[in-house]
Amino acid sequence: MATARPLADHACFDPDGFARHGYPHDIWAKMRRDTPVAWHDDGIREPFWAITRYEHITAIGKDSDSFINAPGVTILRKDQIVAADAPRVPLLLTMDPPEHHKSRMVLRDRFKPSVMRALEAHIIARCREIADEVAAARVRTAEGDGRIDFVEAIAMRLPLDVILELLGVPGEDRDQMYLWSNAVIGSEDPEYGDVDTPREAIVAAQQAMFGYFARFIAARRAAPREDLVSLLVEARIDGTPLSDREILGFCFLLAIAGNETTRNATSGAMLALIENPEARAALTADPALMPTAVEELLRWVTPIVYMARTATRDIEIGGQTVRQGEKVVLFYPSANRDESVFDAPFTLDLARRPNRHLTFGFGRHSCLGNDLARIELRAVLSELLTRFPGMELAGPIDRLRSNFVGGIKHMPVVLAA
């Protein structure tokens, strides 16, 4: 007789719970202890195995023969309808070897550490410009204390500016790209999309972005410049030029992933420092802590909730048999609080070493822009701690309704306590 599958707690994947309370770390901790590989078939269109322990997540991530990205890395709930007219482009995120490696190589040299370090001075200068603008707005407020929405005034600006500049997109189109990005990532949030027809919101934003980049690609084919889109236009895979659809896939992923994760990491990091004043005081007093502090804040925040994989064969994970064709969902925030890997995982330790967090994934599927994200986070936090050391919350934060991205939509702060 087949053994009954242990069932996952519904709260581990509930977007409404995420919006109200943030990550369900207490639920994940219980699952890590009692049911680290658990079956989830409650209110979702695609049942899956919830994987919460670090050891199992890394084992699955390393086994690209037994677990693949295709046909997708996200999970649909029953109330989500896949629109027949949804645009389709190849995405690096959903590719498997050898296509994944070949496509990744197209951009590898532009995102290698030495190239990213060459951008650091420019990124620091942009942080100062943003801080100057925020400081100028501060003196114009009636209270003189600079009450702002941290997300819109600070967090979303630097990563979006940088990635659009790398792509070659004009600065005046930044705000529109921000709206499209919100609609794609936050389509299930009533502020950005439509909770009743979320797929329609995604499709509309995707179509708009694809139309924009299609025109942009045509312009670069006619007159290449020194930007990523021009590089993609001139790139070859196995001697064959990239098609417009392939280039659109790169543009879409870079525009979304290149700003969403760093934006939410910045908001989450600042929130963590505000909520942990002793840690913030230590970092302000000793800027040399910044490199390890950034790693710890990345572990603490973990902006991406999960990635899904599909089993290519029957395989045992954590004492459970995952059948061929079944999905596994890798909960990265849970892995980053795993007690067997991190000492005192629920303590924000800005000097933590080692810190083998999985915030950027790992191995062949590690985030291509992780060095850029680290530089941006170091730069913006350094500037904020110097310029606005008294920053505090000025009201409740408003979280994104999503179980894929751990986002903060609005975070009211006062710049001078």
Side-chain angles (χ1 to χ4, degrees):
M1 179 181 296
T3 304
R5 295 179 169 190
L7 298 180
D9 191 311
H10 174 78
C12 78
F13 199 65
D14 177 23
D16 292 309
F18 283 36
R20 288 192 298 267
H21 311 298
Y23 287 162
H25 280 299
D26 56 338
I27 300 299
W28 285 330
K30 187 175 185 299
M31 290 175 65
R32 283 195 302 275
R33 184 183 69 245
D34 300 333
T35 55
V37 180
W39 186 246
H40 194 302
D41 189 13
D42 182 9
I44 56 175
R45 183 176 178 182
E46 301 172 289
F48 63 83
W49 289 98
I51 314 296
T52 49
R53 283 186 186 169
Y54 188 104
E55 63 172 310
H56 299 146
I57 288 173
T58 52
I60 290 170
K62 292 174 183 176
D63 190 352
S64 57
D65 291 327
S66 301
F67 298 95
I68 59 175
N69 286 8
V73 295
T74 58
I75 297 293
L76 295 178
R77 295 196 321 280
K78 289 179 180 178
D79 59 352
Q80 291 177 288
I81 301 172
V82 180
D85 58 347
R88 306 289 184 189
V89 295
L91 295 175
L92 188 63
L93 198 63
T94 59
M95 291 180 184
D96 294 298
E99 290 77 11
H100 176 269
H101 177 71
K102 293 177 181 179
S103 294
R104 188 181 175 96
M105 291 294 287
V106 170
L107 290 175
R108 187 190 64 170
D109 286 348
R110 285 293 183 95
F111 283 92
K112 62 185 180 182
S114 60
V115 175
M116 293 298 99
R117 285 194 297 272
L119 289 173
E120 190 163 8
H122 176 66
I123 290 171
I124 291 172
R126 183 67 188 113
C127 286
R128 289 174 180 163
E129 291 173 0
I130 293 171
D132 287 342
E133 293 168 14
V134 170
R138 164 187 176 179
V139 301
R140 293 195 295 269
T141 63
E143 299 86 353
D145 59 11
R147 293 175 185 270
I148 61 170
D149 182 338
F150 183 88
V151 176
E152 295 187 352
I154 298 175
M156 76 94 169
R157 298 182 61 188
L158 176 68
L160 194 59
D161 285 352
V162 171
I163 196 61
L164 293 186
E165 186 174 347
L166 289 175
L167 283 167
V169 173
E172 58 266 26
D173 294 334
R174 181 196 67 196
D175 290 343
Q176 180 58 70
M177 202 65 68
Y178 175 63
L179 294 174
W180 286 334
S181 178
N182 281 342
V184 171
I185 294 296
S187 62
E188 294 179 75
D189 190 287
E191 181 173 343
Y192 299 139
D194 187 335
V195 295
D196 295 320
T197 57
R199 291 299 301 178
E200 292 182 12
I202 293 179
V203 170
Q206 286 180 334
Q207 288 176 331
M209 288 186 74
F210 290 170
Y212 177 93
F213 279 118
R215 295 187 293 273
F216 201 83
I217 292 166
R220 290 299 185 263
R221 287 197 187 280
R225 299 184 186 179
E226 292 294 323
D227 55 44
L228 289 178
V229 176
S230 298
L231 179 149
L232 292 167
V233 164
E234 297 173 347
R236 302 287 189 276
I237 294 180
D238 292 336
T240 302
L242 302 183
S243 67
D244 280 6
R245 286 183 67 257
E246 290 172 316
I247 298 174
L248 279 175
F250 277 109
C251 292
F252 178 75
L253 189 59
L254 288 168
I256 299 294
N259 90 84
E260 284 286 347
T261 51
T262 309
R263 181 216 308 188
N264 291 314
T266 301
S267 299
M270 198 64 228
L271 176 63
L273 292 174
I274 290 172
E275 293 180 336
N276 294 269
E278 291 183 1
R280 178 167 61 162
L283 182 57
T284 302
D286 183 10
L289 270 177
M290 187 60 75
T292 56
V294 163
E295 297 306 314
E296 176 69 346
L297 289 164
L298 286 167
R299 180 192 75 88
W300 190 261
V301 178
T302 320
I304 298 300
V305 180
Y306 76 91
M307 288 288 170
R309 302 284 188 264
T310 302
T312 61
R313 63 184 179 90
D314 291 0
I315 185 171
E316 183 175 307
I317 297 290
Q320 302 299 320
T321 300
V322 178
R323 300 296 183 189
Q324 179 180 353
E326 290 181 339
K327 296 268 191 179
V328 293
V329 164
L330 315 180
F331 284 107
Y332 296 125
S334 175
N336 282 346
R337 292 289 205 284
D338 193 324
E339 300 82 353
S340 68
V341 177
F342 301 97
D343 292 333
F346 290 91
T347 297
L348 184 69
D349 178 4
L350 300 186
R352 185 184 296 275
R353 287 180 185 272
N355 197 336
R356 296 175 292 139
H357 65 77
L358 304 182
T359 298
F360 292 120
F362 55 95
R364 59 169 53 90
H365 289 295
S366 62
C367 174
L368 189 64
N370 68 82
D371 290 302
L372 176 59
R374 286 181 166 98
I375 290 171
E376 290 175 343
L377 198 54
R378 286 200 303 267
V380 72
L381 290 179
S382 296
E383 187 66 23
L384 293 175
L385 292 174
T386 301
R387 293 287 289 275
F388 310 116
M391 184 184 295
E392 297 290 348
L393 288 178
I397 63 172
D398 189 5
R399 298 184 183 276
L400 182 70
R401 184 184 186 271
S402 171
N403 53 19
F404 183 66
V405 173
I408 297 176
K409 297 187 298 181
H410 304 290
M411 189 169 101
V413 299
V414 58
L415 297 179

